[in-house]
Amino acid sequence: MTVPVYSFLAAANASSNTMELVYIWQKATPEAKIIIIFLVIFSIVAWSTMISKALQMRRAKRLNTFFNSEFRNQKNVLGMYDRRLEVEGCPLFAVYQAGSIELDTRLKRGVAGEGRKSNLSIKAVEHVKRSLENTVAQQSLKLESGLILLAIAVSGAPFLGLLGTVWGVMSTFGGIAREGSASLAAMAPGVSAALITTVAGLLVAIPSMFGYNWLVHNLRVLTVELDNFAQELISKIETEYLEE
């Protein structure tokens, strides 16, 4: 008999909580309802951003691992470029591709046919280096895009909730002042309805804060990988092609 009784009590408690939320929603002011609806939309946007960015960074890490294994096995810098290997959506590949295109252009400059020069000047290597740096910056911005929405949710949602609470409490006390009587029964519904906006704001901000911090950490890791790879690539280019 213990399990059925426990299940009945749990169901009754859940039903009671649902009825409380419905009652509080009914007692909320139109301004509070507008703020709550806005926060719900904001929450959907924040969760969509967190999920999409998490999938994007997870895919980038997986592709970076695959690209690294291929890059380590090539005999020369342009080996993968000459094989026309494509790794769509891989940040490291985008950096490598940009550097290889610039390097190939410099090596073919002034050479007839499809041949390449065996050496490059320091100036030419600097052009390749700048191309790599630009691509690293572009890839970092691409990975970072969308995080501003989470930052806004973290900082803005609690203030919107607080605005709804203050507005609701002000409206409640204004109504009590007009009626000329103050009692717990008169104040409690309005105050509880006002506080629900703060709860809604925190429910948006707290998951967004954890998600934002986790994504920023992964973004830093990927950015460092991009910088390190660019440095490694330019070092190999200098070793292989720079004139002594």
Side-chain angles (χ1 to χ4, degrees):
M1 293 297 294
T2 304
V3 175
V5 171
Y6 177 79
S7 301
F8 175 77
L9 291 176
N13 187 44
S15 176
S16 175
N17 291 337
T18 303
M19 293 300 295
E20 286 178 4
L21 291 175
V22 172
Y23 176 76
I24 291 173
W25 172 260
Q26 291 173 347
K27 292 297 181 179
T29 62
E31 296 83 4
K33 289 180 179 179
I34 291 172
I35 290 175
I36 291 173
I37 291 172
F38 183 78
L39 287 171
V40 169
I41 296 172
F42 213 162
S43 178
I44 294 172
V45 172
W47 276 102
S48 300
T49 301
M50 284 189 287
I51 292 172
S52 63
K53 297 304 295 184
L55 293 175
Q56 180 190 11
M57 292 186 182
R58 180 183 177 185
R59 183 169 183 266
K61 284 183 177 180
R62 180 168 51 84
L63 292 176
N64 281 349
T65 302
F66 165 74
F67 175 80
N68 259 324
S69 63
E70 290 292 322
F71 180 75
R72 298 283 178 262
N73 292 330
Q74 67 176 356
K75 295 180 180 179
N76 55 68
V77 172
L78 292 175
M80 295 172 63
Y81 177 76
D82 291 335
R83 287 160 49 200
R84 299 293 187 267
L85 182 68
E86 294 288 337
V87 190
E88 190 67 29
C90 177
L92 291 186
F93 174 76
V95 175
Y96 172 79
Q97 186 77 350
S100 296
I101 291 173
E102 184 67 25
L103 176 61
D104 186 51
T105 302
R106 297 287 168 180
L107 289 172
K108 288 181 177 179
R109 181 165 295 178
V111 179
E114 294 296 320
R116 291 170 176 161
K117 292 184 289 188
S118 59
N119 293 309
L120 286 176
S121 64
I122 295 178
K123 184 178 180 181
V125 172
E126 284 297 320
H127 281 286
V128 177
K129 185 176 181 180
R130 279 196 290 272
S131 177
L132 290 173
E133 290 172 349
N134 290 337
T135 308
V136 167
Q138 291 171 6
Q139 290 299 310
S140 296
L141 289 174
K142 184 178 179 181
L143 291 169
E144 190 178 350
S145 64
L147 291 183
I148 184 63
L149 294 175
L150 295 181
I152 293 173
V154 171
S155 59
F159 286 102
L160 281 174
L162 181 60
L163 173 63
T165 295
V166 173
W167 201 321
V169 171
M170 179 181 66
S171 177
T172 299
F173 280 108
I176 291 174
R178 285 194 302 271
E179 293 175 3
S181 62
S183 64
L184 184 61
M187 293 175 58
V191 173
S192 62
L195 290 173
I196 196 66
T197 58
T198 297
V199 174
L202 292 175
L203 288 176
V204 175
I206 291 173
S208 298
M209 177 190 65
F210 287 113
Y212 177 78
N213 289 331
W214 183 81
L215 290 171
V216 166
H217 168 72
N218 284 274
L219 175 63
R220 287 201 192 101
V221 172
L222 289 170
T223 302
V224 169
E225 287 182 1
L226 288 171
D227 288 332
N228 291 341
F229 176 75
Q231 293 296 326
E232 180 182 357
L233 182 57
I234 199 64
S235 178
K236 288 191 173 185
I237 291 172
E238 290 175 349
T239 301
E240 192 169 337
Y241 294 104
L242 188 60
E243 293 176 343
E244 294 295 337

